[in-house]
Amino acid sequence: MAESSQKTHAIVFALPLQGHITPIVNLAMKLASKGCTITFVHTEFIHQMLSKSSEVDLFSEAHELGLDIRYKTIFDGFPVEFDRILHFIEYWETMLKDFPARVDEFVGKIIESESSSAYFLITDTFYTWPAIIARKYNLVNVSFWTEPALVFSIAYHLDLLRENGHFPCKDNVEENIHYIPGVSSINTRDLMPYLKESSITTLVQKIVLKIFDDQVKKADFILQNTVQELESETISALNQEQPTYAIGPINFSADSTKPAISQNLWPQADTKTWLDSKPPSSVLYVSFGSLDQTSKQIIQEIAHGLLLTKLSFIWVVRKDIVSSNDTDVLPVGFEDKIRDQGLVVEWCNQTMVLSHPAIGGFLTHCGWNSILESIWCGVPMICYPLASDQPTNRKLVVDDWKIGINLCDGESVTREEVAEKIHNLMSGTVSDGLRMEIKKFRTILQNALAIDGSSEKFFDQFIKDLKAKIH
Ligand code: UDX
């Protein structure tokens, strides 16, 4: 079949959340490097945040490489000064209601403006409107999932969970589930919190229902930021339902000299000078991701636990890490007490920190990007999941893969247990075992991105299948 002369042109909509931006930016870059034209869309607010936090033009690297990425912004319906974190629910409720009409008009204009392109749509799976837009403009619809395939698979089978009385799932009930295709066993305590009875009316549950009862099943292709060898049964089972490609870890490339591309919503503190002064594998990195919050009491127990260890640490304490308006979340005098033991920052270049030889462990909330980054850098983890997919991701890291340990075994977090777990992670026999295991996982990720690796092959197969459908 002759190649069409039309450009294969992706219209890519990023979700306006940090943990979703980096993977979709890297996906766009990779597609462009394979010859696709990209129209990449951020909300105007995200554009403002990114521009404030970095002097470098977005996509400057892509343009230096001669990649055809056209960057555009779309209004999200709120003025720039509106606090989208403080008013999270109002923001997302309005996005659910009003954003699809804006996207509709926006996509219509792009398509009208250039008829020499064969367009398709790539959106974050968490958007609730792609199938409607794709149908209206007759676009191939590609859904991009930024969490593990395990989480996708559980949410994909809401009908089975309902039939078996596990959706909504009773709080505090522990039962093993064996009926989800490609998931040999999962305990109800490890399900995503938004599936629990206590979350019945939450916004996230509303979004997940809209996506998985309807939208996702209408996608032509599903891209997963995971690796076939990590989740082979789950990916294979999903493939029986819809064309699914494991193309991760999308934020990295086989060329380890190439730094990961990230677009940061907040300025990055300098951590290199401090890290350079520390011995190899001696520093614990602590971060709870970009969005979820915890309580001041837990932050304080962790702070005291860190002091008890006397080990070096870098801790990302975001301004909004606790849900109250309290800005003094650390114990009084903490920064004086830690002196050179620790460095507290509001945001940093996480991948750079994790890849520094001084880092020996990562206390993480188990966001999927953080897990992939930790594996990529060969750093074992202590897990303290906060929300969303994180409790389910924890199961993979601790129970299935054995590359991390839990921060606490019971319900509560105590400073003594925090200190004990950090010691176990950083040195001794538990630590040795974790380090040996994570090396194997690191190799799996590296191999997946090598020329003949699974993720590279699936990426190329995806492009082939996409072109066959479009042209
Ligand atoms: C949520 C979900 O829990 C996660 O699974 C999903 O993939 C994205 O949304 P989030 O809190 O954003 O998670 O965590 P994570 O997925 O780990 O992403 C955070 C990103 O921010 C990582 O790429 C990390 O490198 C970056 N980061 C974090 C920094 O660059 N600097 C920091 O100081 C902290």
Side-chain angles (χ1 to χ4, degrees):
M1 194 169 49
E3 273 270 305
S4 159
S5 59
Q6 278 190 312
K7 279 186 261 178
T8 309
H9 190 146
I11 307 175
V12 182
F13 281 88
L15 201 74
L17 294 172
Q18 178 70 63
H20 294 253
I21 290 173
T22 305
I24 206 162
V25 165
N26 281 283
L27 172 62
M29 289 282 290
K30 189 151 181 168
L31 276 168
S33 73
K34 302 265 179 188
C36 292
T37 295
I38 308 286
T39 292
F40 189 97
V41 192
H42 272 315
T43 63
E44 280 170 22
F45 174 73
I46 290 295
H47 172 75
Q48 297 251 3
M49 295 274 291
L50 294 170
S51 312
K52 265 201 275 173
S53 74
S54 165
E55 278 150 27
V56 183
D57 281 350
L58 303 178
F59 296 110
S60 57
E61 188 172 335
H63 297 141
E64 276 161 28
L65 293 168
L67 305 180
D68 190 0
I69 299 192
R70 300 140 190 214
Y71 174 48
K72 292 198 181 298
T73 58
I74 183 169
F75 183 52
D76 66 3
F78 289 86
V80 172
E81 356 23 285
F82 182 80
D83 189 334
R84 287 151 176 81
I85 297 291
L86 192 64
H87 305 287
F88 193 79
I89 306 233
E90 182 189 345
Y91 177 65
W92 283 98
E93 291 278 7
T94 308
M95 284 287 276
L96 279 179
K97 215 161 35 69
D98 299 346
F99 200 54
R102 288 180 214 283
V103 172
D104 184 344
E105 196 188 337
F106 193 91
V107 169
K109 279 195 186 139
I110 292 175
I111 292 175
E112 243 176 55
S113 70
E114 195 181 304
S115 55
S116 60
S117 282
Y119 290 99
F120 66 106
L121 191 64
I122 300 195
T123 54
D124 193 294
T125 307
F126 273 98
Y127 274 128
T128 52
W129 41 260
I132 303 157
I133 304 289
R135 197 178 52 220
K136 173 160 177 187
Y137 294 101
N138 197 22
L139 300 174
V140 170
N141 173 6
V142 181
S143 190
F144 177 48
W145 180 249
T146 62
E147 298 177 0
L150 169 65
V151 173
F152 186 94
S153 207
I154 295 168
Y156 195 88
H157 292 290
L158 282 179
D159 48 347
L160 289 180
L161 290 166
R162 274 194 196 99
E163 267 169 46
N164 287 278
H166 291 127
F167 179 63
C169 185
K170 292 205 173 31
D171 300 294
N172 305 322
V173 168
E174 297 203 357
E175 279 170 23
N176 284 320
I177 293 176
H178 300 286
Y179 51 76
I180 297 176
V183 179
S184 56
S185 175
I186 182 141
N187 193 285
T188 48
R189 79 171 166 257
D190 295 321
L191 291 177
M192 297 82 83
Y194 51 75
L195 299 178
K196 304 276 166 83
E197 209 158 45
S198 51
S199 309
I200 193 78
T201 53
T202 61
L203 174 72
V204 181
Q205 191 174 91
K206 199 155 113 187
I207 293 176
V208 168
L209 281 174
K210 227 174 149 81
I211 293 165
F212 283 97
D213 273 342
D214 174 38
Q215 287 289 306
V216 154
K217 296 195 170 119
K218 295 177 183 153
D220 296 293
F221 300 104
I222 295 165
L223 301 179
Q224 302 258 352
N225 185 21
T226 187
V227 173
Q228 173 77 20
E229 288 79 2
L230 287 187
E231 300 192 86
S232 59
E233 278 177 35
T234 315
I235 294 283
S236 303
L238 284 170
N239 241 317
Q240 304 290 316
E241 312 274 352
Q242 274 174 274
T244 302
Y245 307 78
I247 56 158
I250 196 75
N251 297 353
F252 296 97
S253 76
D255 179 357
S256 57
T257 57
K258 256 174 78 184
I261 296 165
S262 62
Q263 292 186 348
N264 281 269
L265 296 178
W266 304 280
Q268 300 169 328
D270 173 30
T271 49
K272 187 170 182 313
T273 321
W274 189 86
L275 278 170
D276 283 347
S277 71
K278 303 291 175 197
S281 304
S282 65
V283 179
L284 178 78
Y285 172 62
V286 187
S287 166
F288 298 114
S290 65
L291 181 69
D292 293 302
Q293 299 177 316
T294 183
S295 69
K296 180 169 176 173
Q297 189 243 336
I298 283 169
I299 291 290
Q300 299 230 338
E301 284 309 303
I302 291 172
H304 286 295
L306 285 166
L307 284 175
L308 285 175
T309 66
K310 301 203 170 15
L311 293 168
S312 301
F313 64 87
I314 292 192
W315 189 359
V316 180
V317 183
R318 296 188 334 257
K319 273 201 184 115
D320 58 356
I321 189 64
V322 302
S323 30
S324 70
N325 282 335
D326 200 340
T327 44
D328 296 323
V329 290
L330 293 169
V332 179
F334 182 71
E335 300 214 26
D336 293 335
K337 277 192 204 131
I338 59 176
R339 295 213 186 88
D340 193 42
Q341 183 194 345
L343 185 65
V344 176
V345 297
E346 283 181 14
W347 193 252
C348 66
N349 182 334
Q350 177 163 302
T351 319
M352 198 226 85
V353 170
L354 285 171
S355 59
H356 195 286
I359 295 294
F362 182 10
L363 168 49
T364 172
H365 72 314
C366 294
W368 187 235
N369 292 294
S370 293
I371 292 171
L372 290 176
E373 289 159 11
S374 210
I375 298 177
W376 185 261
C377 300
V379 176
M381 290 161 260
I382 307 188
C383 300
Y384 187 64
L386 299 178
S388 183
D389 55 332
Q390 298 144 24
T392 314
N393 304 351
R394 182 218 63 84
K395 174 201 185 281
L396 290 174
V397 172
V398 178
D399 304 346
D400 297 355
W401 300 339
K402 308 201 178 347
I403 53 176
I405 54 176
N406 295 325
L407 179 68
C408 37
D409 295 322
E411 289 283 294
S412 59
V413 177
T414 64
R415 59 194 70 181
E416 292 78 16
E417 193 176 9
V418 169
E420 186 193 329
K421 292 294 173 58
I422 293 174
H423 276 302
N424 290 346
L425 181 81
M426 298 298 281
S427 58
T429 45
V430 172
S431 174
D432 294 343
L434 294 170
R435 272 169 224 287
M436 243 169 56
E437 275 315 299
I438 204 159
K439 266 193 203 149
K440 295 182 201 159
F441 281 81
R442 181 185 197 172
T443 307
I444 291 174
L445 259 55
Q446 287 169 338
N447 288 346
L449 293 185
I451 291 173
D452 265 341
S454 60
S455 291
E456 281 305 297
K457 282 211 261 197
F458 287 130
F459 202 93
D460 290 341
Q461 187 60 47
F462 159 64
I463 293 186
K464 214 167 137 203
D465 297 346
L466 172 86
K467 286 189 174 168
K469 200 163 177 77
I470 293 183
H471 294 291

